[in-house]
Amino acid sequence: MKFLKILALRGPNIWTYRPVLEAWLDIGPLEDSPSNLIPGFYERLTAWLPSLAEHRCGIGEPGGFLLRLREGTWPGHILEHVTLELQTLAGMQGGFGKARSTPVRGVYKVVVRSRNEKVSIAAIHAARDLVMAAIEDKPFDVPATINHLRDLVDSHCLGPSTACIVDAATERSIPSIRLTDGNLVQLGYGARQHRVWTAESDRTSAIAEGISRNKDLTKQLLTSCGIPVPEGRVVESPEDAWEAAEDIGVPVVVKPSDGNHGRGVSTELMTRTEVEAAFHLADAEGSEVIVERFVRGNEHRLLVVGSKLAAAMRGESISVMGDGVSTIRQLIELQINSDPRRGEAEEFPLDVLLIDEMPSVKFEIERQGYTADSVLPKDISIIVQRNGNVAFDVTDIVHPEVAEAVALAARVVGLDIAGIDLVVEDISKPLDVQRGAIVEVNAGPGLLMHLKPAEGRPRPVGKAIVDSLFADNESGRIPVVGISGSNGKTQVAKILAKLVHLNGSYVGLACSDGLFAGERCIEKGNSATWTAAQKLLINRKVEAAIIENSVATILAEGLGYDRCQVGIVTNIEPEKHYGEFYIETPEQVYNVMRTQVDVVLNNGVAVLNAADPLVATMAELCDGEVIFFAADPDLPVIKAHLANGGRAVVQKNDSLVLTSTACKIPLANLPVISMASVNINCLLAAVAAAWALGVSPDLISAGIKTFSLEQANA
């Protein structure tokens, strides 16, 4: 079994709306060896991957794929399912897969959903090796393979915080583009986009972020607005820290001014020795050290998004109980780290306590008169960590006054997304009745705790962030026009770009003649590609994008956008596309071209050539409206479409006519325009698309009067 080619289809394609990996697989002599004829194959494969039992495959219920294995199926189909399962076990859900034969005996196209092409490429190679090992009865290390793939997922896929935002955007049909290998993601297209970077957005002020890092300045601003904060100040030395503690009154808290995740924070300090030792812990973490009043109660983290409380978590101190035999180190392993909710990976809501790597834990134990290796007497309990365990959801019981206070704190600092740390004994009561206080305001707060709490239900924090960036009636979309067909695509694109430009929009154009922003060519040469389309959609100035798509682009890369407002198919000449990608029939060419119609939005328009029978039949595939175009107004397809309330653009004598059951609008006469059918069809298609985009008939008429097709080709 060998791969002839592997294609990463990064946009909608002939298989599905989502990115996929398409592998051309040559199984050679295995074409004569279906799975039921390979001794022991079924047993070896299912022993290595027992979860294949969940694959439905054809019959629509678990066990379907195993049934096919027993009855006999071929390696291409098996490779599809093994790849999907390896991706799932590695933490990257797939689900969609296909395996189809080609006209060449023994050569198959194997297609799997790919959320990240680097991971999927590694998974399909690992799957090939695993399947071959099962066929040849050789050993294969499945756990090591899955661990390797998990490492790739961790390295290359979006983190959970960013992923939850992207998923929420997808639920609202807001498109997304990953801008880097990290967590910088664009939501929406062109001029209507917003960007998010984990829990920060393009509305997150750099000044506000700087303020939040300066804990002392943050407290000053909050105090000036009447928000309760603990009294305290920045200190310069251990001696100064004790002086501050004496001024404030013990107990106190010592912490770094710019720390996070509770690192370097020591609480409820009573003695000079404790305060001075805590100073050194904090000083090792941050640029400045703060001493402030100890606020009695539990630590809480409240997430504020767009001036509204989105979620709230409570922290708890952690204790161990002595048995008179085990050391404190051993008790931590037995009583704390054994909790299945604890782990070092991101999916665990609670962290593992590692004494030797956490000075604050070591300090907490020592201030109670023990060391990590002390045997704790039976029935004696000590605290080993006072903060940093914020994992218990309390969103539903937050008092309205508390919610108002944290929202005000975020506004005072200037953050659109903020994690507000406060200490209070009872979150269901106002702060002032229990001397509760806000202790920190954080930019870029972690979202995982709200997605996977140790107790309580997950909160839709990704949705809250998306809803704060986009109003209910906003999709983040600009008008995108996709153009496919055998001929005339570039002319249609250029004519339409000029008409939309005259309508007042800043137009991006990606076509075979180059990449254009406004009326300026920014790249010469063929730009009818996925990469060029993405460049337009990333451009914040672009208000409308017109994108040409060849058959080769759709087959080799996929479309450069997820959905479009207008999809145009100019014509289909099947024989022009034979010979590549195993395309050999009109039906196969039709299936490629229909991709352009499949992605038209339900409030969008497909612009189709009524004179081309193959193109005309695509009308039934469109989720939105259809506008036909043709030089002959008497075509039966046109007449039937108009009778059903549709729209069409036709040629009548020397004029173009926008026609529907409601009206007939003649446009400019055409004495100066070449009457060659391809040129007229290009003009008809461009006019129909402009009409679909809401360009007025008067402006369309003026536009086609002011330039010729030759100028459009300039």
Side-chain angles (χ1 to χ4, degrees), residues 118-345:
K118 291 180 181 178
V119 176
S120 294
I121 288 172
I124 202 166
H125 278 96
R128 188 263 313 270
D129 294 343
L130 187 154
V131 172
M132 286 305 302
I135 290 172
E136 297 172 346
D137 192 12
K138 293 181 178 179
F140 190 86
D141 193 338
V142 175
T145 298
I146 294 171
N147 287 336
H148 173 64
L149 293 174
R150 282 177 179 162
D151 289 340
L152 291 177
V153 169
D154 290 341
S155 299
H156 298 294
C157 292
L158 289 174
S161 293
T162 308
C164 82
I165 299 171
V166 172
D167 290 344
T170 302
E171 285 292 315
R172 284 189 48 181
S173 295
I174 297 170
S176 62
I177 298 175
R178 191 174 181 181
L179 298 176
T180 68
D181 290 337
N183 288 306
L184 178 61
V185 175
Q186 173 182 315
L187 305 179
Y189 288 154
R192 295 181 183 172
Q193 68 177 272
H194 285 289
R195 292 173 182 168
V196 294
W197 198 332
T198 312
E200 294 181 308
S201 79
D202 51 13
R203 290 182 177 174
T204 302
S205 161
I207 293 176
E209 188 174 343
I211 290 171
S212 71
R213 286 198 298 266
N214 188 323
K215 308 305 182 187
D216 196 44
L217 176 58
T218 298
K219 287 172 58 178
Q220 292 178 36
L221 294 175
L222 296 184
T223 300
S224 68
C225 295
I227 299 171
V229 299
E231 303 86 349
R233 66 176 175 85
V234 174
V235 296
E236 303 294 333
S237 65
E239 294 77 19
D240 191 24
W242 176 242
E243 287 183 16
E246 288 185 306
D247 292 340
I248 296 166
V250 294
V252 294
V253 173
V254 176
K255 64 182 183 181
S257 64
D258 57 357
N260 52 43
H261 300 294
R263 288 193 289 266
V265 179
S266 303
T267 65
E268 202 169 359
L269 306 174
M270 299 294 295
T271 68
R272 179 168 187 159
T273 300
E274 290 178 343
V275 170
E276 292 184 350
F279 174 90
H280 292 296
L281 282 178
D283 190 44
E285 295 288 343
S287 57
E288 291 182 317
V289 178
I290 295 175
V291 176
E292 62 186 22
R293 171 175 62 89
F294 171 71
V295 181
R296 197 163 299 281
N298 288 317
E299 181 184 6
H300 292 75
R301 164 59 67 90
L302 279 67
L303 178 68
V304 175
V305 178
S307 298
K308 295 179 182 178
L309 176 68
M313 305 293 289
R314 186 189 71 245
E316 294 181 355
S317 61
I318 302 175
S319 301
V320 292
M321 178 68 72
D323 59 9
V325 177
S326 305
T327 65
I328 294 174
R329 187 188 301 275
Q330 292 169 332
L331 292 172
I332 288 174
E333 291 300 317
L334 292 170
Q335 299 178 12
I336 298 173
N337 289 341
S338 61
D339 188 335
R341 298 172 299 177
R342 292 188 179 274
E344 297 184 41

Side-chain angles (χ1 to χ4, degrees), residues 108 172 180 209 356 388 430 519 545 577 584 708:
Y108 291 77
R172 284 189 48 181
T180 68
E209 188 174 343
D356 296 328
E519 294 186 297
H577 310 290
E584 295 187 345
S708 67

